[in-house]
Amino acid sequence: MRGLQGSPDLTLAPGHWVRRGLIAWPADGVPTGVDPAGLDWRLHWSPDGGIDPAAREPVSWETDEVEFDPAGLPEDVLAERPHLRGYLCLRLAEPTASDAERILRGQVVLSLHQASGRLVNAGALQLPGVLDDIYAAATEARLGLSWQDRTPTLRLWAPTAQDVRLRIWRPDDDLHDPGQALPANREPDGCWSIAGARDWKAARYRWEVTVYAPSGRRLVTNQVTDPYSISLTVNSTHSVIVDLDDPALAPEQWRTTPQPRLRHAVDQVIYELHVRDFSISDKSVPADERGSFLAFTRDSLGTRHLKRLAEAGLNTVQLLPTFDNASVEEAKERQRRPAQAELRAAPADSPRQQRLIALTVANSPYNWGYDPWHYQAVEGSYCSSLASAEGSGRVHEFRAMIGALHGLGLRVVLDQVFNHTAGHGQNTKSVLDRIVPGYYHRLSPLGHTEQSTCCPNVATEHAMAQKLMVDSVLLWARDYKVDGFRFDLMGHHSRDNMLAVRAALDALTPERDGVDGRAVTLYGEGWNFGEVANDARFVQARQGNLAGTGIGTFNDRLRDAVRGGGPFDHDPRGQGFGTGLFTASNDAPINGDGYRQRDQLLLDTDLIQLGLTGNLRDYWLPSNSRRLFVRGDELEYNGQPAGYASEPDEVITYVDAHDNETLFDALTLKLPIGTPMADRVRLNTLCLALATLGQGPVMWHAGADILRSKSLDRNSYNSGDWFNFLDWTMTDNGFGAGLPPEDDNGPKWDFFRPFLADATLKPTPADIAEAHAQALDLLRLRASIRLFRLAAGHEVRTKLTFPVSNTAHQVPGAIAMRIDDTVGAPSQDEWSSLVTVFNATPLAVRLPVPGLDGRHVLHPVQARGHDMVVKGARVEGEWARVPARSYAVFVKPR
């Protein structure tokens, strides 16, 4: 932005007021060749807007001079805000700096003028820095609702507000009436508070905030729900006063069932599940409870399925967002769903199903929920009735679900989305920005709200945004007994954010808080993109930056190497290790010729082997693609170091999740179309095994064990119950439900049509049952062998090897992994050595494994297990023979 061209656009905010007496202005905001020291810099402020910086004299606003500092911004400022490096430094004189609190309650503009008085440039200022500086004490405030002697106090942080009132509706009041308006008290830390009365329990309320809104350049009075709401009315129109310590809100099973404990974070075996998916199609659940929290409390097909998985070795359920979201219609009588008969009548490759679903999106009962509205309140659409969604019923039913899952021996992880909100500015579903405009969201160099996450990005690098994040996590852990948290787009948070969450959790004790916060696990999506990429604004909580924290990130390296291609390929038929690359080509041009396929398969093999170590950056890997030993961080993945973890608990290994095509759908698209269904089932299990039998935590997408399909939908966030179908009867896996929604899948419809039209690609109930039985054996294997769950990186580096890799005996499409417990400190496993062979090829393989001998036998789980084919695996001297499209674990007793 060079000099002024015409009138200044004061909706832009190129400058930053970073501390009480300090302002940063972009160097390119000064015309080329003009010395900033020779300009006249001025700060203007007005409580209700209307500033014209070109005016010779102030009319309805105040003005003071600002001093240019040629020394530049202090290093401690740049350390906090590296994206401001190169900005000019301006200093406020007294008494203006001391009057910052009052100035910040209205429009603030910086202008620069020539000595003649002619306006050179002007713009608004971004204020988060100075707000954090002046109101630092607010980070210790108890925000939202608190209780003492059965009397509530409500507190809101609104430092730039000119006035704040509380609008309250007691339990018998009509919400269509204006409610009672009560003045709140301004506190020195920027908070406003009001002490209530005992009869406020179950009352509904909103805050009424009078504040200057830069987006409209005017003073507004907003009625807004509490960002710290712990309960809400239906469709979140009002906050509700609820006492979380009320015994009536503590179901017995939730109150008395101990939280399941892990020996170590590496023991996590996670099942990613959507609350509505779990039961909406389960006829064994009472009709009014299908799709609700209470479905988890019933003896149903779904809970029996979870019980089988838990008995086999699953120990954690990760729920897609359960906090209040802005997309789903909560009132069941207003929800719209397509007629099932119409959906079923359309052909398997028809676009009609997705068109019918698109017509009901506006009032749909379905959404994944990644559009946060209130971070500390339970989502009402998952309640069993309108009455339970209205106020405290949400709390009781959510706790009932947690208690039931704990009763099954399953930990509960909640998916958290602190990286963005559903709305910003004066949008009706904007909360934070209508209370402290311009503070909570990350702004571009010109002051626009960044939206690289798909929605308005939350700036958790700002102190009070981090506080909201930390306080919310603590509430779910302490007041709901949640066992872990998954952070959506965690790379958009700072490492310091995550360490603050970790420290706050670690401070929770059973004696004082009823929970041991040290047992709560943390992991998330460590992707590196957007305006924060490559640590542009702070050290991100991304892959490679969390070494030594115990905070995990999802491993996309192994995922892509197993599945093949990438999630954004124009042609979804790109093959990988587990989908036939080179060993069973589908002849799609995207895979290239045989030479290219072989080279890619060798690289995929390296990435998988590194993933089996827990993706350790300092593991020395015998590389098939490089033909030498390389460190994990020397192996390349899409231009980045492949290995980035220092300990195995810092990586979550997976091959499918709610995002992108399910594992079954990926296999459908990538395998040669003539591949028999029995082999597709085996490869489904093999792909899961490549994630499950490696070091570190593992996650399965719900239904991966029963060949779940979303009819090739790669982004089913609002595709309704139809495409997100999950059938615990194991009769129908969901394939062939029509072409998936056009918005996200349309460009690939031509690829999809022949697959969906082919009835031989839909598995029978017997195929689904076979997949489930094989998956149970896989879980039993992992659970029974401690060597698959080494807790420390040095143990992995010492004990785990790939003895066939980069040798003359290496077979493309096969991996031999040995874990030798006679090296280093013993693990107390009953086996002294194990050899695992993964064979993704369509032929049996025979591999020499140094150290293999006649005392090695097929593990009892497999020897006595369901899979008849793998029982043909055997040891022949130092050679291991493994059937096609199988994995085999050979163990040696002590």
Side-chain angles (χ1 to χ4, degrees):
M1 55 167 296
R2 284 299 172 189
L4 185 66
Q5 303 292 325
S7 300
D9 183 353
L10 299 185
T11 64
L12 303 181
H16 297 252
W17 192 345
V18 292
R19 290 187 181 166
R20 182 183 287 275
L22 197 65
I23 291 173
W25 185 262
D28 66 357
V30 176
T32 303
V34 174
D35 182 0
L39 294 172
D40 177 14
W41 299 82
R42 302 174 190 171
L43 185 72
H44 315 267
W45 63 94
S46 166
D48 52 7
I51 294 173
D52 178 6
R56 290 289 180 179
E57 296 291 337
V59 179
S60 59
W61 62 90
E62 299 177 69
T63 298
D64 196 9
E65 294 183 357
V66 180
E67 180 183 354
F68 170 73
D69 184 350
L73 292 169
E75 280 302 317
D76 59 338
V77 169
L78 294 174
E80 292 177 359
R81 294 172 172 79
H83 59 294
L84 298 185
R85 190 168 294 279
Y87 277 55
L88 306 178
C89 180
L90 307 168
R91 294 188 180 272
L92 292 174
E94 294 294 349
T96 301
S98 296
D99 201 22
E101 288 88 342
R102 182 179 65 87
I103 294 171
L104 289 165
R105 295 172 196 158
Q107 184 184 21
V108 183
V109 172
L110 184 79
S111 64
L112 41 157
H113 306 253
Q114 293 179 336
S116 64
R118 188 177 72 83
L119 181 66
V120 174
N121 207 343
L125 299 179
Q126 300 182 29
L127 306 179
V130 69
L131 292 175
D132 282 348
D133 181 41
I134 292 175
Y135 297 107
T139 59
E140 302 300 320
R142 177 72 182 271
L143 298 181
L145 175 62
S146 60
W147 293 84
Q148 187 168 4
D149 296 329
R150 292 186 293 167
T151 301
T153 296
L154 293 161
R155 182 170 282 107
L156 178 75
W157 189 66
T160 61
Q162 296 181 17
D163 185 56
V164 173
R165 295 172 179 269
L166 186 77
R167 290 268 175 186
I168 189 163
W169 292 259
R170 288 173 173 76
D172 294 331
D173 291 347
D174 187 339
L175 292 179
H176 294 96
D177 293 338
Q180 182 182 7
L182 302 171
N185 302 307
R186 185 192 293 272
E187 298 175 342
D189 59 3
C191 293
W192 299 74
S193 67
I194 185 166
R198 290 190 176 188
D199 66 353
W200 282 20
K201 184 177 179 180
R204 289 71 51 84
Y205 70 97
R206 288 174 174 165
W207 290 105
E208 188 171 272
V209 181
T210 301
V211 66
Y212 179 78
S215 58
R217 293 172 58 193
R218 61 191 175 90
L219 194 67
V220 297
T221 298
N222 291 322
Q223 277 198 26
V224 62
T225 46
D226 193 336
Y228 275 65
S229 297
I230 57 174
S231 200
L232 298 152
T233 57
V234 170
N235 285 328
S236 312
T237 61
H238 297 72
S239 304
V240 180
I241 295 177
V242 171
D243 184 358
L244 293 177
D245 293 330
D246 186 342
L249 301 182
E252 182 178 1
Q253 188 176 32
W254 174 80
R255 182 173 49 81
T256 60
T257 304
Q259 292 178 252
R261 296 295 296 264
L262 301 169
R263 182 192 67 91
H264 192 278
V266 295
D267 294 333
Q268 294 174 90
V269 183
I270 304 159
Y271 205 58
E272 185 192 37
L273 184 60
H274 184 271
V275 169
R276 185 176 175 89
D277 291 354
F278 174 69
S279 63
I280 194 64
S281 302
D282 189 347
K283 300 299 190 293
S284 66
V285 174
D288 60 340
E289 294 179 5
R290 292 174 199 159
S292 78
F293 298 126
L294 288 186
F296 289 87
T297 70
R298 304 305 178 194
D299 178 18
S300 67
L301 292 175
T303 53
R304 290 174 212 159
H305 193 97
L306 289 181
K307 185 178 181 181
R308 283 195 301 275
L309 293 171
E311 289 171 346
L314 186 78
N315 55 37
T316 303
V317 166
Q318 174 191 301
L319 297 173
L320 270 69
T322 53
F323 53 75
D324 181 56
N325 74 67
S327 293
V328 178
E329 172 57 58
E330 292 185 347
K332 286 180 166 51
E333 68 273 13
R334 292 200 290 269
Q335 293 175 349
R336 297 178 61 205
R337 299 172 66 191
Q340 295 295 297
E342 287 190 76
L343 293 169
R344 293 192 187 100
D349 60 344
S350 170
R352 179 164 173 73
Q353 296 94 327
Q354 60 89 33
R355 289 176 188 152
L356 291 170
I357 289 167
L359 294 173
T360 64
V361 165
N363 289 86
S364 173
Y366 194 93
N367 198 280
W368 281 348
Y370 290 92
D371 42 4
W373 200 352
H374 298 90
Y375 287 108
Q376 298 182 10
V378 172
E379 166 58 24
S381 67
Y382 299 140
C383 291
S384 61
S385 67
L386 196 66
S388 57
E390 189 79 27
S392 61
R394 302 179 184 221
V395 176
H396 188 277
E397 293 195 0
F398 186 80
R399 284 173 167 174
M401 175 189 67
I402 299 288
L405 287 168
H406 285 168
L408 292 172
L410 294 169
R411 303 169 62 252
V412 180
V413 168
L414 297 188
D415 200 332
Q416 300 293 286
V417 189
F418 296 111
N419 64 83
H420 67 255
T421 57
H424 69 117
Q426 287 294 106
N427 183 281
T428 56
K429 292 187 177 179
S430 169
V431 175
L432 300 171
D433 220 16
R434 291 199 293 150
I435 296 171
V436 194
Y439 176 81
Y440 282 98
H441 291 98
R442 190 174 298 122
L443 304 179
S444 74
L446 292 178
H448 301 301
T449 301
E450 295 280 12
Q451 301 199 36
S452 57
T453 63
C454 81
C455 305
N457 295 1
V458 175
T460 48
E461 64 269 26
H462 301 161
M464 296 302 285
Q466 174 178 287
K467 176 178 172 60
L468 175 61
M469 179 179 181
V470 172
D471 288 350
S472 300
V473 168
L474 287 180
L475 178 133
W476 293 112
R478 182 186 58 237
D479 295 308
Y480 289 94
K481 300 185 181 180
V482 167
D483 307 285
F485 297 91
R486 177 240 192 224
F487 292 84
D488 183 68
L489 300 184
M490 187 173 66
H492 270 59
H493 302 309
S494 70
R495 176 185 165 103
D496 285 346
N497 288 154
M498 297 307 301
L499 291 177
V501 170
R502 179 74 273 169
L505 286 168
D506 289 349
L508 298 178
T509 66
E511 296 77 19
R512 185 184 65 243
D513 306 292
V515 297
D516 182 357
R518 296 170 301 174
V520 176
T521 52
L522 303 177
Y523 56 87
E525 294 181 305
W527 316 139
N528 181 29
F529 69 97
E531 74 283 355
V532 300
N534 301 315
D535 304 327
R537 297 206 180 194
F538 43 75
V539 177
Q540 296 162 263
R542 61 173 171 88
Q543 293 171 334
N545 278 357
L546 293 168
T549 65
I551 299 169
T553 59
F554 288 99
N555 180 8
D556 50 350
R557 282 79 162 143
L558 181 142
R559 177 202 69 192
D560 288 352
V562 171
R563 290 166 63 106
F568 306 110
D569 290 347
H570 72 282
D571 183 341
R573 297 173 296 172
Q575 292 179 285
F577 182 97
T579 56
L581 182 65
F582 184 67
T583 64
S585 176
N586 61 18
D587 297 325
I590 190 173
N591 293 309
D593 62 19
Y595 295 104
R596 180 180 165 190
Q597 288 190 42
R598 190 177 192 279
D599 290 345
Q600 183 61 50
L601 179 57
L602 293 175
L603 175 58
D604 286 350
T605 302
D606 286 349
L607 292 171
I608 291 169
Q609 290 181 160
L610 185 63
L612 290 167
T613 74
N615 223 55
L616 297 179
R617 62 186 181 186
D618 56 356
Y619 183 90
W620 284 92
L621 181 77
S623 169
N624 297 286
S625 60
R626 300 268 293 274
R627 291 297 180 187
L628 44 79
F629 275 83
V630 297
R631 269 177 53 115
D633 55 6
E634 294 173 345
L635 193 65
E636 191 174 290
Y637 168 82
N638 291 343
Q640 309 167 66
Y644 60 81
S646 64
E647 301 291 344
D649 63 354
E650 294 169 5
V651 165
I652 308 296
T653 307
Y654 72 116
V655 289
D656 76 338
H658 68 274
D659 283 322
N660 308 314
E661 297 88 354
T662 68
L663 177 57
F664 176 87
D665 285 345
L667 288 164
T668 299
L669 290 166
K670 296 169 186 295
L671 288 172
I673 201 161
T675 305
M677 184 56 66
D679 281 9
R680 294 174 184 273
V681 171
R682 301 194 65 74
L683 286 169
N684 190 84
T685 306
L686 178 70
C687 291
L688 289 176
L690 287 163
T692 306
L693 300 184
Q695 303 299 320
V698 59
M699 186 189 80
W700 291 7
H701 181 223
D705 56 305
I706 52 174
L707 308 181
R708 184 184 186 182
S709 170
K710 296 182 181 179
S711 203
L712 309 182
D713 193 348
R714 65 172 303 274
N715 188 20
S716 65
Y717 76 100
N718 68 345
S719 301
D721 301 323
W722 181 252
F723 286 103
N724 288 285
F725 182 60
L726 188 53
D727 178 23
W728 302 124
T729 70
M730 298 194 291
T731 301
D732 184 349
N733 80 326
F735 185 74
L739 286 165
E742 186 173 14
D743 284 352
D744 282 297
N745 303 278
K748 298 179 182 178
W749 274 6
D750 288 342
F751 291 114
F752 292 171
R753 283 189 176 93
F755 292 103
L756 293 171
D758 189 341
T760 67
L761 296 178
K762 188 175 181 70
T764 66
D767 297 322
I768 298 170
E770 176 67 26
H772 182 54
Q774 291 184 20
L776 291 174
D777 280 349
L778 176 57
L779 290 174
R780 293 181 186 112
L781 261 177
R782 177 184 167 98
S784 65
I785 303 177
R786 171 59 56 193
L787 292 174
F788 284 135
R789 294 169 283 127
L790 299 173
H794 69 85
E795 290 185 289
V796 178
R797 291 188 295 273
T798 302
K799 298 176 184 292
L800 192 153
T801 57
F802 298 97
V804 183
S805 187
N806 193 23
T807 71
H809 297 288
Q810 173 68 40
V811 175
I815 293 172
M817 176 179 71
R818 183 182 180 196
I819 307 178
D820 187 352
D821 204 28
T822 66
V823 180
S827 69
Q828 299 181 339
D829 204 305
E830 63 179 302
W831 314 109
S832 64
S833 168
L834 69 84
V835 173
T836 306
V837 177
F838 303 94
N839 178 17
T841 77
L843 301 173
V845 296
R846 189 169 178 266
L847 300 174
V849 181
L852 198 65
D853 59 39
R855 294 187 62 202
H856 283 85
V857 296
L858 191 64
H859 191 282
V861 167
Q862 290 189 295
R864 299 193 296 262
H866 181 83
D867 183 359
M868 300 304 295
V869 174
V870 80
K871 293 179 183 182
R874 59 186 181 272
V875 174
E876 301 169 343
E878 281 199 348
W879 294 73
R881 183 178 180 85
V882 177
R885 291 168 170 163
S886 301
Y887 72 95
V889 179
F890 302 101
V891 289
K892 180 179 180 179
R894 291 192 184 279

